[in-house]
Amino acid sequence: MIKPPWIRSVRRALLAAGATAALATGLLTATATTSQAATQQPCDIYAAGGTPCVAAHSTTRALYAAYNGPLYQVRRASDNATLNIGVLTAGGFANAPAQDSFCANTSCVITDIYDQSGKGNDLTQAPAGGAAGGPDNLANAFAAPVTAGGHEAYGVYVAPGTGYRNDTTNGIATGDQPEGMYAIFDGTHFNNGCCFDYGNAETSNTDTGNGHMEAIYFGTENHWGTGSGTGPWIMADLENGLFSGVNQHLNSGDPTVNNRFLTAIVKGGPNQWAIRGGDARSGGLSTFYSGVRPNVSGYNPMHKEGAIILGIGGDNSKGSAGTFYEGVMTSGYPSDATEDAVQANITAVGYGSNTGPLHAVGAGKCLDVPNGSTTPGVQTDIWTCNGGANQGWTHTSGNQLTVTENNGTTLCLDASGKGTTAGTKVITWTCNGQTNQQWNLNANGTVTNVLSGLCLDVASGSTADGALVELWTCNGGSNQQWSQQTS
């Protein structure tokens, strides 16, 4: 939906709980309307249902109403210093502004995703495994900006080669013991690589046989099994097979799902398991499979080992892509009613995106990084809008306009050479927090550079694909008018 002329994300406080806010033209500041803490969060609900969390991971919010500890840790490139990112209040949302401040003028990666359950099941950089060398890459801390409850937050952006793991856990199901798990993913970020997983895996980082895993999978890998349509699908990675149902291959009841924010559930016990899913912003859950274990040798009984993985397969297969916001693992097989209550809690959060294309109004095209280049110094242009990552811009709380390419590289819109004269090239550059990378999004539809006060301008008023973008004296022309679309 076009929201003219601007969605301003000062502190990203532009969402009301349960829905994306439709903001009036010219609204430049806002106050979050969602309370910081709920009386119950997902792990409180699971505990009340008799299936307590034994692992709880999130970079966006607390998963217990009383939780007041760290959510994750970031490390900055400039001096390798680290900072734990906690919550704004007990039971509330991530203190993302602390990350913004700590990582200003440099880049940061996510080093640790802390377990909120108290069992110490933290996720850290995955080591080498049987399928691929390591250690795996760490996620760019700024590559998955979102809003949660009207507050700025960041997810875990898994580009191929990125992975987290814990091989020495406490309380995670082993053997044929029952367990449940859910995760919130970006349903538009996926590939056909193996394997974007969250859940239970081998402790040896190698493939130890059928039934030695039980993890949520999301993507379009179809070598072992599929759902209906072209995907992506929620499936279960049970090792040596991605399963959508009882059969090794197709389950037509497991649909293609690509909600911007997706709730994905897998649970399993002695000769029973299920897949469920739904839109993490509205509505309930659907059951895509519920029944007996697969009719292939080795999966009944199961042989789960109790490690936890995120973004990779059990043997460290790491060709996958995806984005993770929150997830838990439980002791015991949760009831559908308990999961339905958790889904209601999730939809009340009001997850939202403040990233979207910047439309050049006069040309009817989008601000574009040519060929999706990740090389600093490339001059931006306009191009037919295509939904590509190289046209997805985020206006940060630091007034930067950032773009994250498909490989996870994040760059900032930049006035080249700190230029302050008409005709200065507008390029992408490594983010550094300086004023030539800060942009005011104005109520009249213009975008002005903080350093120079000049307007973002399509050169010569061109409407052609590839027309270059520069700074120019503000003149009210349609080639200086911009609007943004967010999801």
Side-chain angles (χ1 to χ4, degrees), residues 56-193:
H57 304 108
S58 176
T59 57
T60 62
R61 64 169 180 146
L63 300 176
Y64 292 84
Y67 188 75
N68 199 26
L71 301 179
Y72 62 104
Q73 183 185 87
V74 295
R75 184 179 69 223
R76 63 189 179 198
S78 58
D79 59 2
N80 286 325
T82 60
L83 178 71
N84 285 341
I85 305 299
V87 290
L88 294 167
T89 61
F93 299 98
N95 186 5
Q99 174 179 314
D100 293 341
S101 177
F102 180 74
C103 300
N105 306 318
T106 187
S107 60
C108 276
V109 293
I110 297 172
T111 57
D112 300 77
I113 306 168
Y114 294 115
D115 173 24
Q116 301 177 32
S117 76
K119 293 187 175 294
N121 292 321
D122 304 337
L123 296 174
T124 58
Q125 187 174 24
D136 294 354
N137 299 327
L138 295 169
N140 178 338
F142 289 96
V146 292
T147 55
H151 299 269
E152 172 190 9
Y154 297 99
V156 183
Y157 186 99
V158 174
T162 303
Y164 295 83
R165 194 174 196 121
N166 187 329
D167 288 326
T168 308
T169 60
N170 177 21
I172 305 300
T174 58
D176 209 29
Q177 292 176 337
E179 67 178 350
M181 61 195 80
Y182 86 83
I184 306 302
F185 298 140
D186 178 348
T188 67
H189 182 209
F190 56 87
N191 70 1
N192 64 353

Side-chain angles (χ1 to χ4, degrees), residues 313-331:
D315 60 358
N316 198 43
S317 300
K318 54 182 180 180
S320 57
T323 299
F324 171 91
Y325 302 107
E326 63 178 73
V328 311
M329 300 176 68
T330 72
S331 174

Side-chain angles (χ1 to χ4, degrees), residues 2 86 166 333 377 470:
I2 301 292
N166 187 329
Y333 192 91
E470 61 187 9

Side-chain angles (χ1 to χ4, degrees), residues 362-365 382 458-465 467:
K365 295 184 177 178
I382 58 169
V458 181
S460 302
S462 175
T463 61
D465 280 344

Side-chain angles (χ1 to χ4, degrees), residues 96-466:
Q99 174 179 314
D100 293 341
S101 177
F102 180 74
C103 300
N105 306 318
T106 187
S107 60
C108 276
V109 293
I110 297 172
T111 57
D112 300 77
I113 306 168
Y114 294 115
D115 173 24
Q116 301 177 32
S117 76
K119 293 187 175 294
N121 292 321
D122 304 337
L123 296 174
T124 58
Q125 187 174 24
D136 294 354
N137 299 327
L138 295 169
N140 178 338
F142 289 96
V146 292
T147 55
H151 299 269
E152 172 190 9
Y154 297 99
V156 183
Y157 186 99
V158 174
T162 303
Y164 295 83
R165 194 174 196 121
N166 187 329
D167 288 326
T168 308
T169 60
N170 177 21
I172 305 300
T174 58
D176 209 29
Q177 292 176 337
E179 67 178 350
M181 61 195 80
Y182 86 83
I184 306 302
F185 298 140
D186 178 348
T188 67
H189 182 209
F190 56 87
N191 70 1
N192 64 353
C194 182
C195 289
F196 183 69
D197 291 349
Y198 173 71
N200 194 322
E202 295 96 335
T203 57
S204 63
N205 306 338
T206 60
D207 179 349
T208 53
N210 293 3
H212 283 248
M213 289 181 61
E214 187 166 65
I216 303 168
Y217 166 80
F218 181 67
T220 55
E221 164 60 58
N222 61 8
H223 177 74
W224 297 282
T226 71
S228 62
T230 58
W233 309 282
I234 303 168
M235 295 191 284
D237 189 343
L238 306 179
E239 191 55 276
N240 297 321
L242 297 176
F243 288 89
S244 59
V246 68
N247 297 312
Q248 178 75 50
H249 299 295
L250 172 67
N251 169 20
S252 59
D254 189 19
T256 291
V257 286
N258 55 7
N259 306 96
R260 173 60 180 86
F261 295 93
L262 173 70
T263 305
I265 290 176
V266 168
K267 55 184 174 180
N271 202 24
Q272 63 172 340
W273 70 289
I275 302 173
R276 307 186 78 202
D279 187 337
R281 292 197 285 195
S282 65
L285 296 169
S286 297
T287 299
F288 303 147
Y289 175 78
S290 181
V292 297
R293 289 291 184 179
N295 56 5
V296 180
S297 177
Y299 300 101
N300 183 32
M302 291 286 285
H303 313 280
K304 293 174 278 193
E305 297 187 25
I308 306 173
I309 54 174
L310 172 61
I312 53 175
D315 60 358
N316 198 43
S317 300
K318 54 182 180 180
S320 57
T323 299
F324 171 91
Y325 302 107
E326 63 178 73
V328 311
M329 300 176 68
T330 72
S331 174
Y333 192 91
S335 68
D336 286 1
T338 295
E339 292 167 342
D340 292 344
V342 169
Q343 169 71 356
N345 174 275
I346 291 166
T347 60
V349 169
Y351 272 111
S353 170
N354 58 358
T355 298
L358 296 178
H359 293 269
V361 174
K365 295 184 177 178
C366 283
L367 182 66
D368 176 280
V369 182
N371 300 314
S373 175
T374 58
T375 302
V378 172
Q379 187 170 3
T380 56
D381 62 9
I382 58 169
W383 200 268
T384 301
C385 300
N386 56 34
N390 63 322
Q391 294 182 355
W393 298 90
T394 299
H395 193 222
T396 74
S397 60
N399 272 356
Q400 296 169 318
L401 280 166
T402 65
V403 61
T404 299
E405 301 293 359
N406 286 324
N407 70 350
T409 299
T410 298
L411 296 171
C412 275
L413 197 68
D414 178 288
S416 182
K418 300 183 181 179
T420 58
T421 59
T424 295
K425 295 179 179 179
V426 175
I427 63 174
T428 53
W429 196 261
T430 304
C431 298
N432 56 37
Q434 296 178 16
T435 52
N436 66 313
Q437 292 186 351
Q438 295 176 17
W439 304 86
N440 289 323
L441 279 54
N442 304 303
N444 64 3
T446 61
V447 180
T448 50
N449 184 254
V450 169
L451 177 63
S452 67
L454 296 173
C455 273
L456 192 68
D457 177 287
V458 181
S460 302
S462 175
T463 61
D465 280 344

